[in-house]
PDB file of all heavy atoms in Angstrom:
ATOM      1  N   HIS G 175       8.570   7.080 -33.611  1.00 95.00           N
ATOM      2  CA  HIS G 175       8.817   7.217 -35.002  1.00 95.00           C
ATOM      3  C   HIS G 175       9.430   5.908 -35.639  1.00 95.00           C
ATOM      4  O   HIS G 175      10.132   5.152 -35.105  1.00 95.00           O
ATOM      5  CB  HIS G 175       9.907   8.324 -35.270  1.00 95.00           C
ATOM      6  CG  HIS G 175       9.284   9.714 -34.932  1.00 95.00           C
ATOM      7  ND1 HIS G 175       9.149  10.089 -33.627  1.00 95.00           N
ATOM      8  CD2 HIS G 175       9.032  10.800 -35.792  1.00 95.00           C
ATOM      9  CE1 HIS G 175       8.590  11.367 -33.682  1.00 95.00           C
ATOM     10  NE2 HIS G 175       8.529  11.779 -34.901  1.00 95.00           N
ATOM     11  N   ILE G 176       8.942   5.753 -36.920  1.00 94.00           N
ATOM     12  CA  ILE G 176       9.487   4.721 -37.846  1.00 94.00           C
ATOM     13  C   ILE G 176       9.989   5.282 -39.117  1.00 94.00           C
ATOM     14  O   ILE G 176       9.122   5.837 -39.911  1.00 94.00           O
ATOM     15  CB  ILE G 176       8.536   3.642 -38.055  1.00 94.00           C
ATOM     16  CG1 ILE G 176       8.102   2.854 -36.802  1.00 94.00           C
ATOM     17  CG2 ILE G 176       9.120   2.580 -39.064  1.00 94.00           C
ATOM     18  CD1 ILE G 176       7.029   1.791 -36.937  1.00 94.00           C
ATOM     19  N   LYS G 177      11.265   5.435 -39.261  1.00 91.00           N
ATOM     20  CA  LYS G 177      11.803   6.126 -40.512  1.00 91.00           C
ATOM     21  C   LYS G 177      11.271   7.665 -40.700  1.00 91.00           C
ATOM     22  O   LYS G 177      10.684   7.943 -41.724  1.00 91.00           O
ATOM     23  CB  LYS G 177      11.456   5.323 -41.806  1.00 91.00           C
ATOM     24  CG  LYS G 177      12.146   3.987 -41.843  1.00 91.00           C
ATOM     25  CD  LYS G 177      11.926   3.213 -43.079  1.00 91.00           C
ATOM     26  CE  LYS G 177      12.760   1.994 -43.140  1.00 91.00           C
ATOM     27  NZ  LYS G 177      12.435   1.254 -44.447  1.00 91.00           N
ATOM     28  N   ASN G 178      11.330   8.349 -39.563  1.00 91.00           N
ATOM     29  CA  ASN G 178      10.847   9.758 -39.461  1.00 91.00           C
ATOM     30  C   ASN G 178       9.446   9.919 -39.672  1.00 91.00           C
ATOM     31  O   ASN G 178       8.976  11.069 -39.854  1.00 91.00           O
ATOM     32  CB  ASN G 178      11.562  10.606 -40.564  1.00 91.00           C
ATOM     33  CG  ASN G 178      13.167  10.537 -40.377  1.00 91.00           C
ATOM     34  OD1 ASN G 178      13.589  10.668 -39.189  1.00 91.00           O
ATOM     35  ND2 ASN G 178      13.911  10.560 -41.360  1.00 91.00           N
ATOM     36  N   ILE G 179       8.591   8.906 -39.590  1.00 94.00           N
ATOM     37  CA  ILE G 179       7.096   8.933 -39.687  1.00 94.00           C
ATOM     38  C   ILE G 179       6.667   8.891 -38.268  1.00 94.00           C
ATOM     39  O   ILE G 179       6.867   7.921 -37.611  1.00 94.00           O
ATOM     40  CB  ILE G 179       6.437   7.851 -40.569  1.00 94.00           C
ATOM     41  CG1 ILE G 179       7.098   7.894 -41.929  1.00 94.00           C
ATOM     42  CG2 ILE G 179       5.027   7.836 -40.529  1.00 94.00           C
ATOM     43  CD1 ILE G 179       6.554   6.784 -42.848  1.00 94.00           C
ATOM     44  N   PRO G 180       5.898   9.916 -37.793  1.00 95.00           N
ATOM     45  CA  PRO G 180       5.345   9.883 -36.389  1.00 95.00           C
ATOM     46  C   PRO G 180       4.176   8.931 -36.319  1.00 95.00           C
ATOM     47  O   PRO G 180       3.261   9.019 -37.091  1.00 95.00           O
ATOM     48  CB  PRO G 180       5.055  11.355 -36.117  1.00 95.00           C
ATOM     49  CG  PRO G 180       4.667  11.894 -37.471  1.00 95.00           C
ATOM     50  CD  PRO G 180       5.603  11.173 -38.439  1.00 95.00           C
ATOM     51  N   PHE G 181       4.099   8.209 -35.173  1.00 96.00           N
ATOM     52  CA  PHE G 181       3.064   7.334 -34.814  1.00 96.00           C
ATOM     53  C   PHE G 181       2.595   7.591 -33.380  1.00 96.00           C
ATOM     54  O   PHE G 181       3.425   8.024 -32.528  1.00 96.00           O
ATOM     55  CB  PHE G 181       3.319   5.852 -34.930  1.00 96.00           C
ATOM     56  CG  PHE G 181       3.595   5.397 -36.314  1.00 96.00           C
ATOM     57  CD1 PHE G 181       4.830   5.517 -36.932  1.00 96.00           C
ATOM     58  CD2 PHE G 181       2.639   4.681 -36.990  1.00 96.00           C
ATOM     59  CE1 PHE G 181       5.057   5.074 -38.222  1.00 96.00           C
ATOM     60  CE2 PHE G 181       2.768   4.232 -38.347  1.00 96.00           C
ATOM     61  CZ  PHE G 181       4.050   4.448 -38.927  1.00 96.00           C
ATOM     62  N   VAL G 182       1.281   7.412 -33.098  1.00 96.00           N
ATOM     63  CA  VAL G 182       0.793   7.604 -31.710  1.00 96.00           C
ATOM     64  C   VAL G 182      -0.085   6.403 -31.530  1.00 96.00           C
ATOM     65  O   VAL G 182      -1.149   6.076 -32.143  1.00 96.00           O
ATOM     66  CB  VAL G 182      -0.152   8.849 -31.655  1.00 96.00           C
ATOM     67  CG1 VAL G 182      -0.679   8.931 -30.161  1.00 96.00           C
ATOM     68  CG2 VAL G 182       0.540  10.077 -32.017  1.00 96.00           C
ATOM     69  N   ALA G 183       0.317   5.558 -30.486  1.00 97.00           N
ATOM     70  CA  ALA G 183      -0.253   4.334 -30.083  1.00 97.00           C
ATOM     71  C   ALA G 183      -1.073   4.658 -28.837  1.00 97.00           C
ATOM     72  O   ALA G 183      -0.545   5.205 -27.893  1.00 97.00           O
ATOM     73  CB  ALA G 183       0.693   3.126 -29.957  1.00 97.00           C
TER      74      ALA G 183
END
Side-chain angles (χ1 to χ4, degrees):
H175 287 76
I176 298 178
K177 294 183 178 180
N178 296 323
I179 300 176
F181 290 83
V182 182

